[in-house]
Amino acid sequence: MATPYLFSHSLPFILLLPLLCSFMVTVFAANFYQDFDITWGDGRGKILNNGQLLTLTLDKASGSGFQSQNHYLFGKIDMQIKLVPGNSAGTVTAYYLRSEGSSWDELDFEFLGNLSGDPYIVHTNVYTQGKGDREQQFYLWFDPTADFHTYSVLWNPQHTVFYVDGTPLREFKNLESIGVKYPKNQPMKISSSLWNADDWATRGGLIKTDWSKAPFTASYRNFNDDQACIWSSGSSSCNSKSKSNGTSFLLSQELDSSSQQRLQWVQKNYMIYNYCTDTKRFPQGLPPECTVVKKS
């Protein structure tokens, strides 16, 4: 398989801008000790560098994971992640927001490892009230293991957008008007985990984890929830006068023409699976949101 890393398609300058900005802007990082708890892994998850770096490790005995101390209901959340380098086949690094209970909402990034030199697959999904089956998958236009890159979710009452380095990968719109459930009432925590999924992750489970390459490590830094609404005791921080750093704008923000152009570019050149075109999977007809997307 040819590797579609950076510039396998010439990268338009409009797409390069957010990538350049991510390197030029000084980031005031939050502290992982204050914002997250290591939730499993028996010491395989570590907070380092005075709270500025978090690492998750996977070996043959166990993976590891962490979870935010706060719940969120809308806003924009950023995390810089450097994925497992080298032969990562069989491993999955999941980074997502999820609510509690049996009818949960969930917004997923899952990074499916691969043989050294082959690209990661970025798997996205949206669950509403316990129902998912809305997968879209992409390759990236860079090597996500060589350095940190920013993975963001913008979630507001109008739509949810998944971003990489400021470039939108995917948009899920609020289409309650045609009966499509939308995640808008359940506060969610941020979670991440590194685990072994060699029964399905790499080429449908054909490529197994090479444990001679273990331990596998993913690294996290520069978490930013400054523009997110923290939910606590039945109220939102976005209702507070002190929460004024652009959050009210984000809660009504739509994609502008430049962002729509970048989204279309990514989906044309790097999308490798879209549930909205999988007619074999939905013989009774595609989900209603897919029809709206096709018409738009």
Coordinates of all heavy atoms in Angstrom, one line a residue, residues 186-237:
Q186 N -26.9 15.3 27.6 CA -26.2 14.5 28.6 C -24.7 15.0 28.7 O -24.0 15.0 27.7 CB -26.1 13.0 28.1 CG -27.5 12.4 28.0 CD -27.4 10.9 27.8 OE1 -27.0 10.1 28.7 NE2 -27.8 10.4 26.7
P187 N -24.3 15.5 29.9 CA -22.9 15.9 30.0 C -22.0 14.7 29.8 O -22.3 13.5 30.2 CB -22.9 16.4 31.5 CG -24.3 16.6 31.9 CD -25.1 15.7 31.1
M188 N -20.8 14.9 29.3 CA -19.9 13.9 28.9 C -18.5 14.2 29.6 O -18.1 15.3 29.7 CB -19.7 13.8 27.4 CG -20.9 13.3 26.7 SD -20.6 12.8 25.0 CE -21.2 14.2 24.1
K189 N -17.8 13.1 29.9 CA -16.4 13.2 30.4 C -15.5 12.8 29.2 O -15.9 12.1 28.2 CB -16.1 12.2 31.5 CG -16.7 12.7 32.9 CD -16.1 11.8 34.0 CE -16.4 12.4 35.4 NZ -15.8 11.7 36.5
I190 N -14.3 13.3 29.2 CA -13.3 13.0 28.3 C -12.5 11.7 28.7 O -12.1 11.6 29.9 CB -12.3 14.1 28.1 CG1 -13.0 15.4 27.7 CG2 -11.2 13.8 27.1 CD1 -12.1 16.6 27.9
S191 N -12.3 10.8 27.8 CA -11.6 9.6 28.2 C -10.6 9.2 27.1 O -10.8 9.6 25.9 CB -12.6 8.4 28.4 OG -13.4 8.6 29.5
S192 N -9.6 8.5 27.4 CA -8.7 7.9 26.4 C -8.1 6.6 26.9 O -8.0 6.4 28.2 CB -7.5 8.9 26.1 OG -6.8 8.5 25.0
S193 N -7.9 5.7 26.0 CA -7.3 4.4 26.4 C -6.4 3.9 25.2 O -6.6 4.2 24.1 CB -8.4 3.4 26.7 OG -9.3 3.2 25.6
L194 N -5.4 3.1 25.6 CA -4.6 2.4 24.7 C -4.7 0.9 25.0 O -4.5 0.5 26.1 CB -3.1 2.9 24.9 CG -2.1 2.1 24.0 CD1 -2.3 2.2 22.5 CD2 -0.7 2.7 24.3
W195 N -5.2 0.1 24.0 CA -5.5 -1.2 24.2 C -5.3 -2.1 23.0 O -5.1 -1.6 21.9 CB -7.0 -1.4 24.7 CG -8.0 -0.7 23.9 CD1 -8.2 0.7 23.8 CD2 -9.0 -1.3 23.0 NE1 -9.2 1.0 22.9 CE2 -9.7 -0.2 22.4 CE3 -9.3 -2.6 22.7 CZ2 -10.8 -0.4 21.6 CZ3 -10.4 -2.8 21.9 CH2 -11.1 -1.8 21.3
N196 N -5.3 -3.4 23.2 CA -5.1 -4.4 22.2 C -6.4 -4.8 21.5 O -7.3 -5.2 22.2 CB -4.3 -5.6 22.7 CG -4.1 -6.7 21.6 OD1 -3.7 -6.3 20.5 ND2 -4.4 -7.9 21.9
A197 N -6.5 -4.6 20.2 CA -7.7 -5.0 19.5 C -7.3 -5.7 18.2 O -7.8 -5.5 17.1 CB -8.5 -3.8 19.2
D198 N -6.3 -6.6 18.3 CA -5.8 -7.3 17.1 C -6.8 -8.3 16.5 O -6.5 -8.8 15.4 CB -4.4 -7.9 17.3 CG -4.4 -9.1 18.2 OD1 -5.5 -9.5 18.7 OD2 -3.3 -9.6 18.4
D199 N -8.0 -8.5 17.1 CA -9.0 -9.3 16.5 C -9.8 -8.5 15.4 O -10.5 -9.2 14.6 CB -10.0 -9.8 17.6 CG -10.6 -8.7 18.4 OD1 -10.0 -7.6 18.5 OD2 -11.7 -9.0 18.9
W200 N -9.6 -7.2 15.4 CA -10.3 -6.4 14.3 C -9.6 -5.2 13.8 O -9.9 -4.7 12.7 CB -11.7 -6.0 14.9 CG -11.7 -5.0 16.0 CD1 -11.6 -5.4 17.3 CD2 -11.7 -3.6 15.9 NE1 -11.6 -4.2 18.1 CE2 -11.6 -3.1 17.3 CE3 -11.7 -2.7 14.9 CZ2 -11.6 -1.8 17.6 CZ3 -11.7 -1.3 15.2 CH2 -11.6 -0.9 16.5
A201 N -8.7 -4.6 14.6 CA -8.2 -3.2 14.3 C -7.5 -3.1 13.0 O -7.7 -2.1 12.3 CB -7.4 -2.7 15.5
T202 N -6.6 -4.0 12.7 CA -5.7 -3.8 11.6 C -6.1 -4.8 10.5 O -5.9 -6.0 10.6 CB -4.2 -4.0 12.0 OG1 -3.9 -3.1 13.1 CG2 -3.3 -3.7 10.8
R203 N -6.6 -4.3 9.4 CA -7.1 -5.1 8.2 C -8.0 -6.2 8.7 O -7.9 -7.3 8.3 CB -5.9 -5.6 7.5 CG -5.0 -4.5 6.9 CD -3.8 -5.1 6.1 NE -2.9 -4.0 5.7 CZ -1.8 -4.2 5.1 NH1 -1.4 -5.4 4.8 NH2 -1.0 -3.2 4.9
G204 N -9.0 -5.8 9.5 CA -10.0 -6.7 9.9 C -9.5 -7.8 10.8 O -10.1 -8.9 10.9
G205 N -8.4 -7.6 11.4 CA -7.8 -8.6 12.3 C -6.8 -9.6 11.7 O -6.3 -10.5 12.3
L206 N -6.5 -9.3 10.4 CA -5.5 -10.1 9.7 C -4.1 -9.9 10.2 O -3.3 -10.8 10.2 CB -5.5 -9.8 8.2 CG -6.8 -10.2 7.4 CD1 -6.7 -9.8 6.0 CD2 -7.0 -11.7 7.5
I207 N -3.8 -8.7 10.7 CA -2.4 -8.4 11.2 C -2.5 -8.3 12.7 O -3.3 -7.5 13.3 CB -1.9 -7.0 10.6 CG1 -2.1 -7.0 9.1 CG2 -0.5 -6.8 11.1 CD1 -1.3 -8.0 8.4
K208 N -1.7 -9.2 13.3 CA -1.8 -9.3 14.8 C -0.7 -8.4 15.5 O 0.2 -8.0 14.8 CB -1.6 -10.7 15.2 CG -2.6 -11.7 14.7 CD -4.0 -11.3 15.1 CE -5.1 -12.3 14.6 NZ -6.4 -11.9 15.0
T209 N -0.9 -8.1 16.7 CA 0.1 -7.3 17.5 C 1.4 -8.1 17.6 O 1.4 -9.3 18.0 CB -0.5 -7.0 18.9 OG1 -1.8 -6.4 18.8 CG2 0.4 -6.2 19.7
D210 N 2.5 -7.4 17.3 CA 3.8 -8.0 17.5 C 4.3 -7.6 18.9 O 4.8 -6.5 19.1 CB 4.7 -7.5 16.4 CG 6.1 -8.0 16.5 OD1 6.4 -8.8 17.5 OD2 7.0 -7.7 15.6
W211 N 4.2 -8.5 19.9 CA 4.5 -8.2 21.2 C 6.0 -8.0 21.5 O 6.4 -7.5 22.5 CB 3.9 -9.2 22.2 CG 2.4 -9.2 22.2 CD1 1.6 -10.2 21.7 CD2 1.6 -8.2 22.7 NE1 0.2 -9.8 21.9 CE2 0.2 -8.5 22.5 CE3 1.8 -6.9 23.3 CZ2 -0.9 -7.8 22.8 CZ3 0.7 -6.1 23.7 CH2 -0.6 -6.5 23.4
S212 N 6.8 -8.4 20.5 CA 8.2 -8.1 20.6 C 8.5 -6.7 20.6 O 9.6 -6.2 21.0 CB 9.0 -8.9 19.6 OG 8.8 -8.3 18.3
K213 N 7.6 -5.9 20.0 CA 7.8 -4.4 19.9 C 7.2 -3.7 21.2 O 7.4 -2.5 21.3 CB 7.0 -3.9 18.7 CG 7.4 -4.6 17.4 CD 8.8 -4.4 17.0 CE 9.1 -5.0 15.7 NZ 10.6 -4.9 15.4
A214 N 6.6 -4.4 22.1 CA 6.0 -3.8 23.3 C 7.2 -3.4 24.2 O 8.3 -3.9 24.2 CB 5.1 -4.8 24.0
P215 N 6.9 -2.4 25.1 CA 5.6 -1.7 25.3 C 5.4 -0.7 24.3 O 6.3 0.0 23.8 CB 5.8 -1.1 26.7 CG 7.3 -0.8 26.8 CD 7.9 -2.0 26.1
F216 N 4.1 -0.5 24.0 CA 3.6 0.6 23.1 C 3.2 1.8 23.9 O 2.5 1.6 24.9 CB 2.5 0.1 22.3 CG 2.8 -1.2 21.5 CD1 2.3 -2.4 22.0 CD2 3.5 -1.2 20.3 CE1 2.6 -3.6 21.3 CE2 3.7 -2.3 19.6 CZ 3.3 -3.6 20.1
T217 N 3.5 3.0 23.4 CA 3.2 4.2 24.2 C 2.6 5.3 23.4 O 3.2 5.6 22.3 CB 4.5 4.7 24.9 OG1 5.0 3.7 25.8 CG2 4.2 6.0 25.7
A218 N 1.6 5.9 23.8 CA 1.0 7.1 23.2 C 1.2 8.2 24.3 O 1.1 8.0 25.5 CB -0.5 6.9 22.9
S219 N 1.4 9.5 23.8 CA 1.7 10.6 24.6 C 0.7 11.7 24.4 O 0.3 11.9 23.2 CB 3.1 11.1 24.4 OG 4.1 10.1 24.5
Y220 N 0.4 12.5 25.5 CA -0.6 13.5 25.4 C 0.0 14.8 26.1 O 0.7 14.7 27.1 CB -1.8 13.1 26.2 CG -2.5 11.8 25.7 CD1 -1.9 10.6 26.0 CD2 -3.7 11.9 25.0 CE1 -2.5 9.4 25.6 CE2 -4.2 10.7 24.6 CZ -3.6 9.5 24.9 OH -4.2 8.3 24.5
R221 N -0.4 15.9 25.5 CA 0.0 17.2 26.2 C -0.9 18.3 25.7 O -1.8 18.1 24.8 CB 1.5 17.6 25.8 CG 1.6 18.0 24.3 CD 3.1 18.4 24.0 NE 3.1 19.0 22.6 CZ 4.2 19.2 22.0 NH1 5.4 19.0 22.5 NH2 4.2 19.8 20.7
N222 N -0.8 19.5 26.3 CA -1.5 20.7 25.9 C -3.0 20.5 25.8 O -3.7 20.9 24.8 CB -1.0 21.2 24.6 CG 0.4 21.8 24.8 OD1 0.9 22.1 25.9 ND2 1.1 22.0 23.7
F223 N -3.6 19.8 26.8 CA -5.1 19.8 26.9 C -5.6 21.2 27.1 O -5.1 22.0 27.9 CB -5.5 18.9 28.1 CG -6.9 19.0 28.4 CD1 -7.9 18.5 27.5 CD2 -7.3 19.5 29.6 CE1 -9.3 18.6 27.9 CE2 -8.7 19.6 30.0 CZ -9.6 19.1 29.1
N224 N -6.7 21.5 26.4 CA -7.3 22.8 26.5 C -8.8 22.7 26.5 O -9.4 22.3 25.5 CB -6.8 23.7 25.3 CG -7.2 25.2 25.5 OD1 -8.1 25.5 26.3 ND2 -6.6 26.0 24.7
D225 N -9.4 23.1 27.6 CA -10.9 23.2 27.7 C -11.3 24.6 28.0 O -12.4 24.8 28.6 CB -11.4 22.2 28.8 CG -11.0 22.6 30.2 OD1 -10.1 23.5 30.4 OD2 -11.5 21.9 31.1
D226 N -10.5 25.6 27.7 CA -10.9 27.0 28.0 C -12.2 27.4 27.4 O -12.9 28.4 27.8 CB -9.8 28.0 27.6 CG -8.5 27.9 28.5 OD1 -8.6 27.2 29.6 OD2 -7.5 28.5 28.2
Q227 N -12.5 26.8 26.2 CA -13.7 27.2 25.5 C -14.8 26.1 25.6 O -15.6 25.9 24.7 CB -13.4 27.5 24.0 CG -12.5 28.8 23.9 CD -12.3 29.1 22.5 OE1 -11.8 28.3 21.7 NE2 -12.5 30.3 22.1
A228 N -14.8 25.4 26.7 CA -15.7 24.3 26.9 C -16.6 24.7 28.1 O -16.2 25.4 29.0 CB -15.1 23.0 27.1
C229 N -17.8 24.1 28.1 CA -18.7 24.4 29.2 C -18.7 23.2 30.2 O -19.1 22.1 29.9 CB -20.1 24.5 28.7 SG -20.3 25.7 27.4
I230 N -18.2 23.5 31.4 CA -18.1 22.5 32.5 C -19.4 22.4 33.1 O -20.1 23.4 33.5 CB -17.0 22.9 33.5 CG1 -15.6 22.8 32.8 CG2 -17.0 21.9 34.7 CD1 -14.5 23.4 33.7
W231 N -19.9 21.1 33.3 CA -21.2 20.9 33.9 C -21.0 20.4 35.3 O -20.3 19.4 35.5 CB -22.0 19.9 33.1 CG -23.4 19.6 33.6 CD1 -23.8 18.6 34.4 CD2 -24.5 20.4 33.2 NE1 -25.2 18.7 34.6 CE2 -25.6 19.8 33.9 CE3 -24.8 21.5 32.4 CZ2 -26.9 20.3 33.8 CZ3 -26.1 22.0 32.3 CH2 -27.1 21.4 33.0
S232 N -21.6 21.0 36.3 CA -21.5 20.6 37.7 C -22.7 21.0 38.5 O -23.2 22.1 38.3 CB -20.2 21.3 38.3 OG -20.1 20.9 39.6
S233 N -23.2 20.0 39.2 CA -24.4 20.2 40.1 C -25.5 20.8 39.4 O -26.2 21.7 39.9 CB -24.0 21.1 41.3 OG -22.9 20.6 42.0
G234 N -25.8 20.3 38.1 CA -26.9 20.7 37.4 C -26.8 22.1 36.7 O -27.9 22.6 36.2
S235 N -25.7 22.7 36.6 CA -25.5 24.0 36.0 C -24.2 24.0 35.2 O -23.3 23.2 35.4 CB -25.5 25.1 37.0 OG -24.4 25.1 37.8
S236 N -24.2 24.9 34.2 CA -23.1 25.0 33.3 C -22.2 26.2 33.6 O -22.8 27.3 33.9 CB -23.6 25.1 31.8 OG -22.6 25.4 30.9
S237 N -20.9 26.1 33.4 CA -20.0 27.2 33.6 C -20.3 28.3 32.6 O -19.9 29.4 32.8 CB -18.6 26.8 33.6 OG -18.3 26.2 32.3

